[in-house]
Amino acid sequence: MTIAKPRDCDVLLTNACVLTMDVNHTIVSPGAVAVVGHTIVAVGPQAEIAQQFRARSTIDARGGIVHPGYVDAHLHVNAQTCRGFFRGDASKGAGSGPKYADWKAALTPEDERAAAALACVEMLRHGVTTFMEPGSAFEPDAVAAATTAVGVRCSLADPYLWDETELMRAIPGLASDSLFARVPPERDRCLKALGGQLFRNRDKDGILHGHVALYGEGTASDELLRAAKALADRSGVVLNSHIGYDIDLALAMERHWQKSRFVYLADLGILGPNTTFVHMNLIREDEVQPILSTGTSMVWCPLAYMSRGTPLRQRTRLPEMKQRGGNVALGTDSARQCSAGDSGFLALHLAAEAGYSTVSEDVLDMLTLGGARAVGLADLLGSIEAGKRADIVVRRPDVAEMGPGVDPAHQLVSVGHGATADTVLVNGRIVLEAGEPTQADFDVILTDARTSVQRMLRRLDMPQPGLWPRVA
Ligand SMILES: [Zn+2]
């Protein structure tokens, strides 16, 4: 018997409890993962893989959980710095402060860059390696610069494509003169802008991607919807759009279209395996089949679902859609009062509260494979398997939230879901080490975010937020 000569690899991850998310959802422990360039080349039992590879660098996971990087399928990344500006549900438009729409319209490219960089560090620490920006960044280049600098993968779209505003009156906080002045709801502008971010897909090896997005929620004409779907089909990318954040708006859309919304959209030819709808807090019985039979992806944003009293009015059907074979991903939406890693934890508990048998393993599926498909990157992401990109998270084994750790999948989602990432690889590069970003200076990122917020307060003529008196 001859023993094969070991192959070279760039990174060998050893002594790991690997949640592979492969077709059998195999957990390999102790396991190892070999990486060459941006690609995973092998995963398996430690003893086997260690024999097969000679590594340039080795990461000892110390028995910690290793999982595919999470995908946040809906994050308004430029809004990360609005924390503290708004209490409760900013989109209601109530309260003494600015409207959320006015706050957004006041963002400069520098503010967007600062917010995105802050969000990226937070994401990495919570095990999120990819996010989908849903066409709400005014300057996608500013966001791209920040995500590239920190090393997080993202998919970008053109800002605010909308050409009808009548239904937006149901959510007054999300519409304002200043926002409409900055991104006019005009069909010509939108039709010209469509596809402006798809050039990012020319680099097949990079961490920047492009998709097609419409703002949605009844703000797109049939013509714009058809044009966007046709472009997504031609370009092999996802068409992404909000629908069903607010129940009153969903009812207004039904009255406007005189049909259930997803039936109307199915008739228009908008549903499909490359269509990803966000929120979907209302799904009628006659909409279930069109959604499931077309393979349309659904992004559940648990905190947004909670934020308007929606659970008291409408039981979510997204855990049911997942159980019936639909593709469900998770999203943060605006991280106004939550962190980048909360959506899985919230989904687990909201699903249980709504009477579903959703377990941590289902939530992990949504965070990885479901997310990868919802952003149109299922070939590259979502599992730790040979041939996929090396977007890998190593969780700290030495924190109380990871103990006792006898049931790793449940432990990770239910207790260890916080900022417990120790080492993170994105596209084969180590971008987080010992919980700190390796490519960017976090002190500078934090200072930039604080400076941006003070500028915004002055620009919006706001006092320092907070209810209690401050003494210097
Ligand atoms: Zn959103």
Side-chain angles (χ1 to χ4, degrees):
M1 185 177 126
T2 55
I3 296 171
K5 201 172 148 224
R7 291 162 60 193
D8 288 333
C9 69
D10 294 317
V11 177
L12 188 64
L13 189 54
T14 62
N15 197 18
C17 173
V18 188
L19 308 185
T20 62
M21 304 307 291
D22 66 10
V23 68
N24 297 317
H25 292 70
T26 313
I27 298 175
V28 190
S29 181
V33 184
V35 174
V36 172
H38 57 39
T39 302
I40 296 164
V41 293
V43 54
Q46 163 94 19
E48 275 177 35
I49 302 293
Q51 247 185 15
Q52 290 170 17
F53 288 92
R54 189 172 54 207
R56 289 191 185 86
S57 89
T58 301
I59 299 168
D60 181 357
R62 298 177 291 152
I65 293 172
V66 167
H67 62 84
Y70 291 161
V71 177
D72 190 331
H74 188 72
L75 178 67
H76 299 284
V77 74
N78 58 349
Q80 205 80 358
T81 45
C82 81
R83 294 160 164 182
F85 282 78
F86 303 100
R87 295 291 179 101
D89 179 10
S91 56
K92 275 182 185 152
S96 56
K99 276 187 174 192
Y100 188 37
D102 288 327
W103 184 91
K104 290 193 279 191
L107 288 167
T108 65
E110 187 55 25
D111 295 321
E112 294 193 289
R113 195 192 57 74
L118 185 71
C120 283
V121 175
E122 187 176 316
M123 278 186 262
L124 291 179
R125 288 177 174 157
H126 285 81
V128 179
T129 54
T130 296
F131 72 97
M132 184 175 241
E133 201 296 313
S136 57
F138 300 101
E139 299 290 343
D141 285 349
V143 170
T147 58
T148 308
V150 181
V152 171
R153 189 184 295 279
C154 82
S155 187
L156 291 160
D158 308 299
Y160 287 94
L161 298 191
W162 49 10
D163 64 345
E164 291 187 351
T165 58
E166 188 191 328
L167 291 170
M168 283 293 282
R169 290 192 200 117
I171 314 185
L174 293 184
S176 74
D177 290 344
S178 63
L179 188 56
F180 288 147
R182 185 156 185 191
V183 277
E186 294 163 0
R187 194 159 310 159
D188 281 354
R189 175 186 77 85
C190 295
L191 291 172
K192 275 187 202 132
L194 263 182
Q197 295 302 309
L198 298 183
F199 74 93
R200 301 192 191 275
N201 296 326
R202 284 184 214 140
D203 178 5
K204 302 282 180 213
D205 298 317
I207 60 171
L208 286 172
H209 308 267
H211 65 280
V212 176
L214 299 177
Y215 186 82
E217 300 288 15
T219 63
S221 62
D222 290 356
E223 184 184 346
L224 185 56
L225 278 162
R226 281 205 193 96
K229 179 66 163 73
L231 177 64
D233 290 348
R234 280 200 307 278
S235 311
V237 299
V238 156
L239 165 63
N240 174 40
S241 181
H242 294 97
I243 185 163
Y245 167 52
D246 177 77
I247 299 301
D248 290 325
L249 179 54
L251 298 176
M253 284 175 72
E254 285 183 336
R255 285 193 296 275
H256 182 69
W257 282 343
Q258 299 187 329
K259 265 184 194 176
S260 300
R261 295 154 303 143
F262 298 107
V263 172
Y264 183 86
L265 290 165
D267 291 348
L268 210 58
I270 305 304
L271 304 193
N274 65 335
T275 301
T276 296
F277 287 126
V278 179
H279 293 307
M280 306 187 81
N281 291 331
L282 174 65
I283 298 173
R284 303 270 189 208
E285 195 52 42
D286 64 344
E287 296 175 301
V288 171
Q289 263 323 105
I291 294 166
L292 293 179
S293 65
T294 53
T296 298
S297 285
M298 298 158 264
V299 181
W300 187 19
C301 300
L303 197 89
Y305 169 63
M306 286 163 69
S307 71
R308 300 171 78 77
T310 305
L312 299 174
R313 296 181 65 185
Q314 189 61 50
R315 180 177 183 245
T316 177
R317 294 187 77 162
L318 291 172
E320 175 196 340
M321 296 299 270
K322 163 93 178 131
Q323 282 165 4
R324 294 174 72 166
N327 189 54
V328 176
L330 293 174
T332 298
D333 204 9
S334 293
R336 287 192 293 264
Q337 15 200 14
C338 64
S339 66
D342 290 343
S343 64
F345 175 77
L346 291 170
L348 181 69
H349 291 289
L350 281 169
E353 191 63 24
Y356 297 105
S357 57
T358 302
V359 291
S360 295
E361 285 82 349
D362 299 320
V363 171
L364 275 175
D365 213 69
M366 297 179 197
L367 286 166
T368 55
L369 298 164
R373 193 170 140 200
V375 303
L377 298 172
D379 292 345
L380 305 181
L381 312 177
S383 60
I384 299 180
E385 292 179 277
K388 292 247 178 137
R389 292 286 191 271
D391 290 12
I392 300 171
V393 175
V394 183
R395 296 280 174 167
R396 291 182 61 176
D398 56 352
V399 291
E401 298 95 308
M402 285 300 176
V406 289
D407 183 351
H410 182 62
Q411 180 89 37
L412 180 58
V413 172
S414 61
V415 186
H417 59 90
T420 55
D422 179 275
T423 303
V424 176
L425 281 79
V426 175
N427 220 30
R429 290 180 80 165
I430 297 170
V431 292
L432 193 82
E433 202 165 27
E436 292 300 322
T438 59
Q439 300 190 62
D441 185 335
F442 182 60
D443 289 340
V444 172
I445 288 171
L446 201 52
T447 302
D448 285 352
R450 287 177 172 152
T451 306
S452 159
V453 164
Q454 292 306 318
R455 280 197 309 258
M456 284 290 277
L457 287 169
R458 286 196 295 277
R459 211 175 291 144
L460 294 164
D461 198 21
M462 280 181 73
Q464 292 291 327
L467 299 178
W468 289 345
R470 297 195 191 194
V471 177

